[in-house]
Amino acid sequence: MSDRVAAIVPAAGRGERLGGSIPKALRPLAGRSLVQHAVETLILAALVDEVVVAAPAAELDAFTKLLGPGVRVIAGGAERIDSVRAAIAVLDETVGVVLVHDAARPLTPPGLVDAVASAVLAGAPAVIPVLAVNDTIKEVDATGRVVRTVPRDVLRAVQTPQGFRRDILDEAYRLGETLPDGVMITDDAGLVEALGVPVTTVPGSQEAFKVTRPADLVFAEALLARRD
């Protein structure tokens, strides 16, 4: 396996829950867009050699100007899975490790990126950063009635970047084209799990939270101010 590492950022989504009339990745945070913060994290990571951003087709020029010449910007798809697949297709053949990172996780520390990449380079086929779940979790039925309390000691909240051997991710996305309707795949590791490939975890970071709602932007602003 080549030790060359590429990072993919699927950033073509609209982000309805966050609101606004512009793509979610372009929402401002402390004077810069979410995607700029996320890409900077990847560039600052010691092990990342290449960054590819899948942007809305109508916003390619805007993304290119924001991210600069060192980042490759391509047209993403209607769904996240389409954007990741399009980005994988343009990676250089020498890439042996692929990281997939959410544009909506702008404050992820570069050290976490390197931790994921290092674990794959050390031999793990798939690696995800995780955090323990602190809240009590209830399983409910369609009417909202509680079915059971899920033991939280076996639960983990999953973050990005998620890292994979290139050949494993390629195979997982080929499988993704044949999955039957109704199969829920919410992240790239889910596709890899469907192959039967083991997924390893590394400790995540509280700062790698996902900006989903307006309150998350306020929290991110406060964290950035504390960093400064």
Side-chain angles (χ1 to χ4, degrees):
M1 179 185 71
S2 165
D3 61 359
R4 185 171 172 80
V5 178
I8 289 171
V9 182
R14 298 301 303 182
E16 276 85 7
R17 282 179 291 179
L18 191 58
S21 59
I22 62 174
K24 179 178 182 179
L26 294 181
R27 287 295 295 271
L29 171 63
R32 295 194 297 158
S33 64
L34 291 177
V35 71
Q36 284 175 286
H37 287 285
V39 167
E40 180 181 39
T41 285
L42 299 171
I43 291 173
L44 290 175
L47 296 177
V48 174
D49 301 297
E50 175 183 351
V51 179
V52 178
V53 175
E59 304 286 350
L60 293 184
D61 287 344
F63 274 73
T64 299
K65 290 176 182 177
L66 283 174
L67 300 176
V71 177
R72 185 168 185 179
V73 178
I74 66 165
E79 303 293 338
R80 185 181 187 279
I81 192 170
D82 302 315
S83 293
V84 176
R85 183 179 287 115
I88 293 171
V90 304
L91 293 180
D92 190 274
E93 292 181 358
T94 62
V95 169
V97 175
V98 181
L99 309 180
V100 185
H101 185 49
D102 294 333
R105 297 185 190 270
L107 304 186
T108 299
L112 180 57
V113 178
D114 282 333
V116 172
S118 293
V120 181
L121 290 167
V127 179
I128 58 175
V130 299
L131 290 177
V133 175
N134 296 320
D135 294 329
T136 297
I137 304 296
K138 303 285 187 181
E139 180 183 345
V140 300
D141 62 20
T143 69
R145 179 173 297 186
V146 172
V147 175
R148 67 184 179 114
T149 301
V150 183
R152 64 187 177 190
D153 58 326
V154 298
L155 298 178
R156 296 294 182 270
V158 179
Q159 300 177 321
T160 72
Q162 299 184 357
F164 309 93
R165 272 185 14 212
R166 166 74 174 276
D167 59 328
I168 294 292
L169 194 60
D170 283 341
E171 186 178 355
Y173 268 82
R174 286 194 295 271
L175 171 69
E177 297 175 349
T178 63
L179 287 174
D181 292 340
V183 175
M184 291 293 294
I185 300 293
T186 58
D187 67 352
D188 302 282
L191 282 175
V192 171
E193 291 164 33
L195 287 178
V197 173
V199 178
T200 301
T201 65
V202 297
S205 167
Q206 294 289 349
E207 293 187 343
F209 68 94
K210 190 173 185 179
V211 173
T212 303
R213 296 175 175 83
D216 298 326
L217 279 173
V218 176
F219 184 45
E221 293 268 6
L223 279 180
L224 278 174
R226 183 178 178 182
R227 281 184 182 180
D228 293 341

